[in-house]
């Protein structure tokens, strides 16, 4: 049950086919197999054994793909650090994950060197780039290691990945994804989300340490190539689609919004695109329709997270097309469950809801993680007595099984005793022609407990006043849901994965208060 075998198999089947593309360089499946074999053996040669952790931090590079393949082959646990973590967060992850090896790219070597005295668990530092005194050299380790796949036997319950997230509390925690979770995810993507073949190319410009990286193994398993870009840039992405005949890509909604509104979009040939997948955060129906019209009938949405080993609900390209043709309300849905896990939306008694009733999404099955690393209380709190994972996401379900995310339970605003879901207000704001981005939060209010506040970025060259936007929302929403105030900003804050951060927007309004709700 070792995913590393698929890379070795493809090296026999398609030895000279592209596996990884970066800038002008192409790595074939033969080369990826050989290099990941050598890295796996080098790590074993450093004394690592099955179950040991290996951390890495770098900008998007082919080495990330080599590392992932090597860790599977050696039976080691992947501890990816987002490239944008602050130094204190790096210290926290290393202390919590307790890795024996830390592989660091040039982009982060200087910062990590300043932290050496605080990274006590690390026995071996590896420089994946320029030489660093006292560290192993990545290429040197590969050159001296054996080229045969070590193929360490793995079981479904063995730990494969520590997926770090800060969650709603700001405290870093790691979802334990097992070998079985990752195999279920591979089947789910290959069967339902991306059916590919040699010659297909997946462009990834988001952080490979998080959502974008979830597609690496399923795509490689089917013989497709991964085209890596260091960062998201609309012009660079469009040029790469045209040059390499990209067939698939994945992005978070903020990236898709930027691409759809990019002025030079139509100067590029996008005919090769079969699917533009998006997910990781809600996207307003008005923005989805805009992207559909601008980019073409290729959109596909997934819902999931680290605790569910990626997306397990899908609004397919066909679903999008049907919604655009005659069911516009369906663009507000994240789709229907796929794969092997059970997905339900239930009330507080655990009874499935229907119609307009709102419940919580719960999940049970092979996609569901093994718990939070070294956090037994958090783990117990995530599951109910029957083994259902409680996601904290509130949703409705229609008669055809489509699930409509209402909001995160922690983001719900209670104003004057009424529940207000920020996403619903944001969707109304996005339907105004002057609004580019919006984030709605609850702010302190002596009368109502919390008041609905909108923080808005306007489109270039467009204008709207607070009164304009409040009036617009009043026409679409119940009176108690409309924003009580609107603040205009040049940019909205994002987390390290590029998603709009409601927490960072909300925090200044509650600073200095003991209670964070009304």
């Amino acid at each position: 049950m070792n995913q590393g075998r698929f890379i070795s198999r493809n090296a026999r089947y398609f030895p000279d086919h592209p596996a990884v593309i970066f800038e002008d360089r192409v790595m074939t499946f033969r080369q990826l197999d050989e290099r990941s074999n050598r890295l796996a053996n080098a790590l074993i040669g450093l004394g690592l054994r099955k179950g040991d952790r290996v951390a890495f931090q770098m900008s998007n590079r082919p080495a990330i793909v080599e590392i992932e393949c090597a860790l599977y082959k050696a039976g080691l646990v992947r501890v990816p650090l987002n490239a944008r973590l602050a130094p204190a967060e790096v210290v926290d992850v290393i202390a919590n994950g307790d890795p024996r090896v830390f592989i660091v790219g040039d982009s982060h070597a200087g910062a990590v060197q300043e932290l050496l005295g605080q990274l006590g668990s690390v026995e071996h530092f590896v420089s994946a780039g320029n030489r660093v005194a006292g560290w192993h050299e990545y290429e040197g380790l590969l050159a001296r290691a054996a080229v045969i796949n070590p193929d360490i036997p793995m079981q479904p319950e063995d730990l494969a990945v520590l997926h770090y997230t800060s969650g709603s509390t700001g405290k870093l925690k790691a979802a334990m994804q097992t070998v079985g979770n990752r195999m279920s995810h591979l089947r789910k993507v290959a069967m339902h989300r991306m059916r590919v073949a040699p010659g297909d190319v997946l462009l990834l410009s988001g952080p490979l340490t998080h959502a974008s990286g979830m597609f690496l193994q399923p795509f490689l398993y089917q013989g497709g190539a991964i085209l890596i870009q260091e960062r998201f840039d609309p012009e660079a992405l469009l040029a790469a689609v045209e040059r390499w005949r990209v067939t698939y890509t994945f992005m978070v909604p903020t990236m898709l919004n930027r691409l759809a509104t990019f002025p030079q979009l139509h100067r590029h040939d996008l005919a090769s695109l079969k699917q533009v997948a998006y997910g990781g955060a809600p996207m307003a129906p008005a923005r989805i329709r805009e992207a559909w019209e601008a980019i073409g009938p290729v959109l596909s949405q997934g819902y999931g997270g680290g605790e569910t080993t990626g997306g397990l609900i899908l609004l397919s390209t066909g679903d999008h097309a049907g919604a655009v043709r005659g069911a516009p309300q369906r663009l507000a849905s994240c789709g229907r469950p796929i794969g092997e896990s059970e997905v339900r939306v239930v009330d507080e008694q655990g009874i499935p809801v229907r119609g307009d009733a709102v419940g919580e999404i719960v999940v049970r099955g092979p996609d569901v993680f093994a718990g939070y690393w070294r956090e037994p209380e958090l783990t117990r709190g995530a599951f109910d007595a029957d083994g259902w994972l409680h996601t904290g996401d509130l949703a409705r379900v229609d008669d055809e099984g489509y699930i409509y995310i209402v909001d995160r339970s922690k983001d719900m605003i209670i104003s004057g005793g009424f529940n207000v879901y920020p996403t619903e207000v944001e969707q109304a704001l996005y339907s105004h022609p002057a609004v580019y981005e919006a984030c709605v939060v609850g702010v302190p209010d002596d009368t109502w407990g919390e008041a609905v506040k909108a923080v808005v970025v306007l489109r270039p060259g467009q204008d709207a006043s607070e009164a304009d936007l409040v009036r617009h929302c009043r026409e679409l929403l119940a009176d108690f849901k409309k924003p009580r105030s609107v603040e205009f900003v040049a940019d909205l804050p994002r987390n390290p994965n590029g998603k709009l951060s409601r927490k960072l927007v909300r925090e200044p309004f509650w600073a200095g208060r003991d209670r964070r709700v009304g």
Side-chain angles (χ1 to χ4, degrees):
M1 203 170 191
N2 192 316
Q3 288 195 33
R5 293 174 185 166
F6 305 140
I7 301 301
S8 296
R9 183 178 67 187
N10 284 353
R12 293 197 308 273
Y13 291 177
F14 327 114
D16 299 317
H17 279 244
V20 182
I21 303 166
F22 181 71
E23 295 177 342
D24 293 321
R25 303 192 297 275
V26 176
M27 184 190 307
T28 66
F29 272 100
R30 179 191 287 117
Q31 292 168 327
L32 175 59
D33 186 47
E34 291 178 354
R35 287 177 63 81
S36 56
N37 286 347
R38 288 181 182 276
L39 178 57
N41 286 312
L43 293 170
I44 292 171
L46 292 177
L48 273 65
R49 295 293 179 264
K50 176 180 173 180
D52 284 341
R53 274 82 61 204
V54 174
F56 62 90
Q57 187 179 37
M58 61 188 70
S59 298
N60 279 2
R61 290 292 186 275
I64 293 178
V65 185
E66 297 173 353
I67 291 166
E68 178 167 285
C69 295
L71 297 185
Y72 278 123
K73 292 176 176 182
L76 302 171
V77 178
R78 189 166 66 98
V79 183
L81 277 70
N82 191 298
R84 295 174 62 182
L85 289 184
E89 293 173 313
V90 172
V91 172
D92 287 347
V93 170
I94 297 300
N96 181 262
D98 207 24
R100 296 181 62 190
V101 172
F102 192 1
I103 305 174
V104 186
D106 281 342
S107 53
H108 293 75
V112 171
Q113 283 179 283
E114 295 181 3
L115 301 173
L116 291 183
Q118 303 174 65
L119 306 178
S121 72
V122 179
E123 300 170 24
H124 303 278
F125 290 88
V126 179
S127 174
N130 296 324
R131 183 188 299 270
V132 176
W135 291 18
H136 298 281
E137 291 182 83
Y138 185 87
E139 294 296 336
L141 286 175
L142 267 62
R144 295 187 296 271
V147 75
I148 303 300
N149 184 349
D151 194 27
I152 300 300
M154 302 293 286
Q155 301 301 318
E157 64 273 13
D158 289 334
L159 185 59
V161 179
L162 292 181
H163 178 91
Y164 277 88
T165 174
S166 60
S168 60
T169 63
K171 178 183 178 182
L172 285 166
K173 57 186 178 182
M176 294 188 290
Q177 296 174 354
T178 66
V179 170
N181 292 155
R182 283 276 167 157
M183 288 292 291
S184 178
H185 174 72
L186 185 152
R187 294 190 295 268
K188 179 173 56 182
V189 172
M191 292 171 66
H192 299 282
R193 296 196 68 179
M194 295 180 178
R195 294 192 179 187
V196 307
D200 278 312
V201 179
L202 170 65
L203 188 157
L204 296 174
S205 57
L208 296 180
T209 50
H210 285 71
S212 291
M214 295 299 294
F215 297 99
L216 294 178
Q217 293 302 320
F219 213 86
L220 292 169
Y221 165 76
Q222 298 174 86
I226 308 295
L227 192 162
I228 298 170
Q229 294 188 318
E230 182 171 348
R231 63 180 64 86
F232 173 73
D233 175 81
E235 178 61 38
L237 185 146
L238 293 167
V241 169
E242 194 166 10
R243 176 184 177 186
W244 296 99
R245 309 307 297 164
V246 169
T247 49
Y248 293 80
T249 187
F250 170 81
M251 55 190 68
V252 297
T254 52
M255 295 160 64
L256 181 57
N257 191 23
R258 285 184 60 193
L259 187 66
T261 57
F262 185 61
Q264 283 75 46
L265 175 66
H266 296 295
R267 295 183 182 179
H268 295 273
D269 179 7
L270 306 183
S272 63
L273 281 175
K274 299 176 183 177
Q275 183 185 114
V276 176
Y278 65 99
M283 188 167 184
R287 289 292 173 268
I288 297 172
R289 182 180 288 274
E290 186 175 14
W292 182 268
E293 293 171 353
I295 300 170
V298 292
L299 300 186
S300 174
Q301 180 189 167
Y303 161 89
E307 290 84 352
T308 62
T309 324
L312 75 170
I313 300 175
L314 176 68
L315 191 71
S316 69
T317 302
D319 290 329
H320 279 77
V324 169
R325 282 195 306 267
Q329 76 284 352
R330 194 158 290 158
L331 289 180
S333 168
C334 63
R336 295 187 284 196
I338 57 172
E340 302 153 280
S341 289
E342 298 176 85
V343 180
R344 296 180 181 175
V345 181
V346 301
D347 61 19
E348 293 180 356
Q349 287 72 46
I351 300 171
V353 301
R354 285 290 184 268
D356 292 331
V358 173
E360 182 182 8
I361 298 177
V362 296
V363 187
R364 185 171 64 182
D367 296 296
V368 176
F369 76 143
Y372 293 107
W373 173 254
R374 294 178 172 173
E375 293 284 0
E377 290 188 16
L378 274 178
T379 298
R380 282 192 292 271
F383 295 90
D384 65 21
D386 295 319
W388 290 92
L389 168 69
H390 284 247
T391 65
D393 286 324
L394 304 177
R396 301 183 181 95
V397 185
D398 70 16
D399 290 340
E400 295 180 73
Y402 287 92
I403 295 174
Y404 297 74
I405 304 290
V406 172
D407 230 314
R408 294 284 295 168
S409 57
K410 69 178 187 296
D411 291 333
M412 185 175 69
I413 301 166
I414 303 177
S415 183
F418 291 101
N419 294 344
V420 179
Y421 302 108
T423 298
E424 187 177 15
V425 185
E426 288 163 0
Q427 289 177 358
L429 288 165
Y430 274 117
S431 67
H432 190 284
V435 173
Y436 178 68
E437 288 185 322
C439 185
V440 171
V441 296
V443 297
D445 187 278
D446 292 338
T447 301
W448 305 108
E450 287 184 284
V452 180
K453 185 178 189 67
V455 183
V456 171
V457 178
L458 295 176
R459 290 180 183 271
Q462 297 286 323
D463 192 26
S465 67
E466 178 180 65
D468 292 335
L469 296 185
V470 171
R471 188 182 311 112
H472 176 77
C473 289
R474 186 184 295 119
E475 293 172 356
L476 300 172
L477 301 168
D479 185 68
F480 68 87
K481 296 180 183 179
K482 72 179 189 297
R484 299 288 173 180
S485 62
V486 179
E487 182 175 325
F488 296 96
V489 297
D491 294 289
L492 286 168
R494 287 169 169 75
N495 68 17
N497 297 324
K499 304 175 191 175
L500 292 182
S501 174
R502 197 185 308 278
K503 176 188 172 188
L504 292 176
V505 172
R506 187 176 189 265
E507 189 66 26
F509 300 108
W510 293 89
R513 290 176 175 257
D514 293 330
R515 296 179 68 196
R516 293 304 176 102
V517 296

